[in-house]
Amino acid sequence: MANIPQDEGRGNFGSLIGFVMAGAGSAIGLGNIWRFPYVTGESGGAAFLVIYLAFVLLIGVPVIYAELAMGRASQRNPVGAFAALGPKEGGNPWVAVGGLGVITGFAILAFYSVVAGWTLGYVGMAFGGTFAGGVTAEQSGAIFGGFVANPVWAVALTASFLVLTALVVRGGVQKGIERATSILMPVFLILLVLLAGRALTLPGAMAGVEFLFLPDFSKITPTVVLNALGQALFSLSLGMGAMITYGSYLDRTQSMPFAGATVALFDTGIAILAGLIIFPALYAAGVKPEDGGAGLVFVVMPTIFEAMPLGNVFAIAFYVLLATAALTSTVSLLEVIVSYLVDEQGLGREAAVWGTTAACLALALPSALSVGAVDQLSSLPGLGMSFLDLQDLIWGNYSLSIGALLICIFAGWVWGVQPAVDEMTRSGHDLPASAVWGFLVRYVCPVAIAGLLVYITYNLVTGA
Ligand code: TRP
């Protein structure tokens, strides 16, 4: 067991529930409500869901434990964790994996803030009564299209969201993160259940349920499989060290097995719940899942509020809570970068927060302007996709997959299964089937992820 003393100066989560709420707060966000439905829609529905769930179980859960254990054992950010737990002599190339994580977090934060900014815009529209009286899918699509194509709004809202994130992170872990999430997450869950109840009873809703649960395996292609892996990692906040950083804040007396399992369960449950809202509502409104694209949730949701009593109240509540869920996720992304800059580069917390925020806004600009505001960015020459979609693909799929692969190899072969399991169980709580964890992290995860990446790259290169 690594004997790095728990660093009280970092600030710990006050309680296990506080940690679970913050971990779930990081995991639950736009990945569940915005990304999951549209990727599922594009990737064929139920067959994609099956693969996604398999990846959550066989790759996501092992990686979440690897990351949490690395964080708590080392008491460091991703870069520091690889430094502390890796080989001490002859240079330690693993530090670069931590570095890739910090860069990936930065890049994800940039495009994520753009979509998070849209949620702020929708809070405003809901308050202004834009959806009151009911909108058809067509009207809703036009509202979305006009809104995201407005460059001033797109940039202003992205910047606002980044500043909000900075203000929370500036306050430190416990005060900032724990307080916000332990109240708002449960409320969000209740609201989603109510919305699912409404969506499922709309006329034509069953077609949406079938789309989500009746698999058609002929729809599976290598791209669909990579999307499923990327979505599993993205949704659980894995592959770039966010959970390493959070693990370092988990008190040593608290049960890591419980914390990891609960976060995974909540996150996956909420994604499915979101699917149970979006797909029934989508079929009821006569839209095809594959036509939704990145705007899917924003276009579909307004069509169901008016079919509910107090419709506009639901609309307001939904967007406020979605923005909050997004905020607890952006906080975890920014926290990784800031803890790296503070721990490894010796920057002051304040300087690290604002410097990162400013730099991130610069990278966010092309994404913000790529959903209709600037034609060249909205359909990149030669690629046909928007700058935002490209960022999501590179960082949200490829980079997280590479990161998860290297984290598995590191935890399974370099740091080692035994020290990792010791860290996971040091509170005295058992990790059921810890031998299975070792096997998954050493063999199954690396082979599956590496195989998939090689296959996809081969197809890209040969143009197949
Ligand atoms: N998991 C979050 C979501 O689903 C997004 C997120 C936060 C994230 N931190 C991350 C994704 C780290 C990848 C890596 O909305």
Side-chain angles (χ1 to χ4, degrees), residues 225-440:
V225 181
L226 180 71
N227 283 344
L229 177 63
Q231 179 59 25
L233 297 172
F234 188 94
S235 192
L236 291 168
S237 303
L238 298 175
M240 48 70 68
M243 289 296 165
I244 296 182
T245 308
Y246 270 32
S248 75
Y249 301 130
L250 176 62
D251 196 273
R252 287 211 168 124
T253 59
Q254 310 285 5
S255 167
M256 187 173 286
F258 178 84
T262 322
V263 169
L265 207 67
F266 270 130
D267 183 67
T268 310
I270 297 245
I272 294 175
L273 201 51
L276 282 174
I277 300 171
I278 302 296
F279 293 111
L282 188 135
Y283 277 90
V287 186
K288 288 242 170 32
E290 56 274 21
D291 299 341
L296 181 64
V297 181
F298 292 93
V299 174
V300 171
M301 287 310 296
T303 66
I304 66 172
F305 295 125
E306 267 324 295
M308 307 179 78
L310 298 176
N312 213 47
V313 175
F314 271 96
I316 293 170
F318 175 78
Y319 291 115
V320 168
L321 289 166
L322 182 57
T324 314
L327 184 62
T328 55
S329 299
T330 52
V331 159
S332 77
L333 288 161
L334 181 58
E335 177 64 25
V336 172
I337 305 157
V338 166
S339 71
Y340 161 73
L341 291 172
V342 171
D343 292 353
E344 308 298 318
Q345 303 296 337
L347 252 67
R349 199 167 171 90
E350 190 84 18
V353 166
W354 293 113
T356 309
T357 300
C360 203
L361 179 60
L363 178 61
L365 291 180
S367 285
L369 298 173
S370 77
V371 198
V374 176
D375 287 344
Q376 291 85 339
L377 290 170
S378 306
S379 177
L380 292 171
L383 291 171
M385 62 170 75
S386 71
F387 188 81
L388 191 149
D389 286 342
L390 179 68
Q391 294 297 300
D392 189 12
L393 181 69
I394 295 174
W395 305 105
N397 276 355
Y398 282 99
S399 190
L400 292 182
S401 302
I402 294 169
L405 169 68
L406 296 170
I407 286 168
C408 287
I409 297 175
F410 181 81
W413 298 93
V414 181
W415 183 34
V417 170
Q418 199 50 51
V421 169
D422 285 346
E423 180 61 49
M424 286 178 223
T425 54
R426 88 189 280 162
S427 62
H429 300 85
D430 233 11
L431 178 69
S434 53
V436 177
W437 179 80
F439 181 72
L440 289 173

Side-chain angles (χ1 to χ4, degrees), residues 22-71:
S26 165
I28 297 165
L30 296 171
N32 308 62
I33 313 287
W34 160 73
R35 200 178 192 268
F36 173 77
Y38 102 77
V39 176
T40 305
E42 274 175 356
S43 308
F48 169 86
L49 180 63
V50 171
I51 302 178
Y52 162 74
L53 290 176
F55 280 155
V56 167
L57 213 60
L58 295 175
I59 297 178
V61 172
V63 175
I64 208 173
Y65 284 126
E67 288 201 20
L68 288 176
M70 285 177 65

